[in-house]
Amino acid sequence: MKVLVTGGGGFLGQAVVRALLKKGSAVRVINRSDYPELKALGVDCCQGDLADRAVVNAATENCDAVIHVAARAGPGLYAPDFERPNVIGTRNVLDACHANGVRYLVYTSSPSVVHGGGDIEGGNESLPYPDHFHSPYPETKARAEKMVLAANGPTLKTCALRPHLIWGPGDNQLLPRLIEKNRAGRLRLPGPEKKIDTVFIDNAADAHVLALLNLIQSGSAAGQAYFISNGEPMAAGEIVSKLLQAAGETPRIRTISPRIAMAVATVVEGFWRLTRRRSDPPLSRFVVDHLSTAHWYDLSKARRHLGYQPKISIAEGLRQLASSTSLKH
């Protein structure tokens, strides 16, 4: 079994690569940058842009399966920056799978594809896609997920995973941003706090391998989407504080009214759009909405179809994070 992992050099991508290698798979990755540490593991590395059809087609040659992790994430407002990797890139992956006879595709989606505002408490995969999104990231991820699931068929089995707020040693996105805001005294959470789901990195990677094995074996996951988390929802402030403490920081979290936060975010977004800025705004409606609402999910479907069971608890994950030096400065 030869598996292509798109975005294999990223935080989740590298964890998926390591999990596949442990299973004895031959692994190829495609990234925009070079990753010598992956080459040292015996990984076949391709370099290029997923929006380049020729590059994607070449990367999928002689592969049996693809785990499509690569994506542009974040609260940015410049839609083309998300359209190119998330939608065009996914379309190219699907076309390359068909052209090269790839039989299995696992797509990394996001719970935000069904979050249109309001609390989600114990939500399952019957939740509909909303009619409107606050930012390009969830909108483009939803379109890509729809494409992947619609492509499921006799020659290409597909499924989508929706891991929620991945964290752990080696995180280069969520935790560094929290630390930066905390140190600057700008870490504010809307109150009252609501419960949210998160997932430890190794559990998220394990879910991807389980999904691929399902497609190869029973195929019950074909055409399906699955929420993936640790199954331990916590108040937003509690989990943020625990993550900061594990990273060696003293939490300096302040509370802000959701209405005030949303009003400020609306003004900030207006200025960002007016000046056509491509950088991430310091505050956005997408972020405020996710921090001021509950969003935790029912894992029954993933447990039933994939045999998914979070092997590393939040408590154990925090211990591993605390012993890691990746975030110590």
Side-chain angles (χ1 to χ4, degrees):
M1 175 66 68
K2 187 165 190 175
V3 184
L4 171 68
V5 180
T6 71
F11 178 44
L12 175 59
Q14 288 202 29
V16 171
V17 167
R18 291 193 296 268
L20 288 169
L21 291 174
K22 287 181 181 178
K23 291 290 185 180
S25 297
V27 181
R28 176 184 290 164
V29 299
I30 179 171
N31 300 285
R32 288 181 298 174
S33 303
D34 186 38
Y35 289 89
E37 62 270 33
L38 293 180
K39 292 180 181 178
L41 295 175
V43 175
D44 182 10
C45 296
C46 301
Q47 194 168 342
D49 192 330
L50 287 184
D52 186 328
R53 290 175 61 90
V55 168
V56 179
N57 191 65
T60 56
E61 288 182 356
N62 302 315
C63 288
D64 302 292
V66 173
I67 297 182
H68 180 25
V69 179
R72 169 70 184 269
L77 302 173
Y78 187 69
D81 283 348
F82 294 84
E83 179 82 12
R84 184 177 174 87
N86 296 358
V87 178
I88 297 175
T90 299
R91 185 179 298 120
N92 287 344
V93 168
L94 287 169
D95 290 344
C97 285
H98 288 300
N100 290 302
V102 175
R103 299 183 61 190
Y104 312 104
L105 171 63
V106 177
Y107 172 66
T108 308
S109 186
S110 164
S112 63
V113 301
V114 295
H115 194 267
D119 294 331
I120 298 177
E121 299 175 300
N124 61 32
E125 290 77 5
S126 66
L127 288 168
Y129 298 105
D131 296 326
H132 175 73
F133 295 95
H134 281 317
S135 70
Y137 171 65
E139 191 270 335
T140 53
K141 290 295 286 184
R143 286 163 58 198
E145 181 183 282
K146 290 176 185 178
M147 284 195 302
V148 168
L149 298 182
N152 180 66
T155 59
L156 177 64
K157 293 182 179 180
T158 70
C159 70
L161 301 186
R162 299 168 175 171
H164 194 260
L165 290 177
I166 307 171
W167 59 274
D171 180 5
N172 58 0
Q173 293 189 17
L174 175 63
L175 285 171
R177 289 181 180 180
L178 289 176
I179 290 172
E180 179 184 5
K181 288 184 178 294
N182 187 65
R183 290 180 176 178
R186 294 186 288 106
L187 187 53
R188 294 175 173 83
L189 296 177
E193 294 178 9
K194 303 290 185 72
K195 287 187 176 182
I196 62 173
D197 260 335
T198 64
V199 61
F200 186 70
I201 180 63
D202 290 358
N203 294 333
D206 184 46
H208 283 73
V209 175
L210 289 171
L212 178 57
L213 290 174
N214 178 288
L215 294 180
I216 295 169
Q217 297 169 358
S218 72
S220 62
Q224 301 294 314
Y226 299 90
F227 290 116
I228 300 296
S229 76
N230 254 65
E232 302 175 79
M234 292 185 180
E238 180 183 5
I239 185 61
V240 168
S241 293
K242 289 179 180 293
L243 290 173
L244 287 170
Q245 289 167 349
E249 300 289 317
T250 300
R252 301 168 60 191
I253 303 172
R254 299 179 182 178
T255 301
I256 186 173
S257 161
R259 289 186 178 181
I260 293 176
M262 187 61 78
V264 173
T266 302
V267 172
V268 170
E269 283 193 14
F271 177 75
W272 242 246
R273 295 182 190 278
L274 183 65
T275 55
R276 298 182 179 180
R277 300 193 177 199
R278 296 178 65 172
S279 60
D280 290 348
L283 190 63
S284 70
R285 290 179 297 162
F286 172 71
V287 171
V288 172
D289 191 37
H290 275 68
L291 289 176
S292 59
T293 59
H295 36 104
W296 53 275
Y297 305 91
D298 182 358
L299 302 182
S300 297
K301 185 178 176 183
R303 287 191 170 105
R304 186 170 65 252
H305 287 190
L306 309 180
Y308 173 70
Q309 181 63 39
K311 295 178 180 178
I312 299 177
S313 66
I314 287 181
E316 172 57 26
L318 290 168
R319 282 193 288 270
Q320 292 189 24
L321 180 60
S323 65
S324 168
T325 59
S326 62
L327 290 171
K328 303 298 190 295
H329 300 287

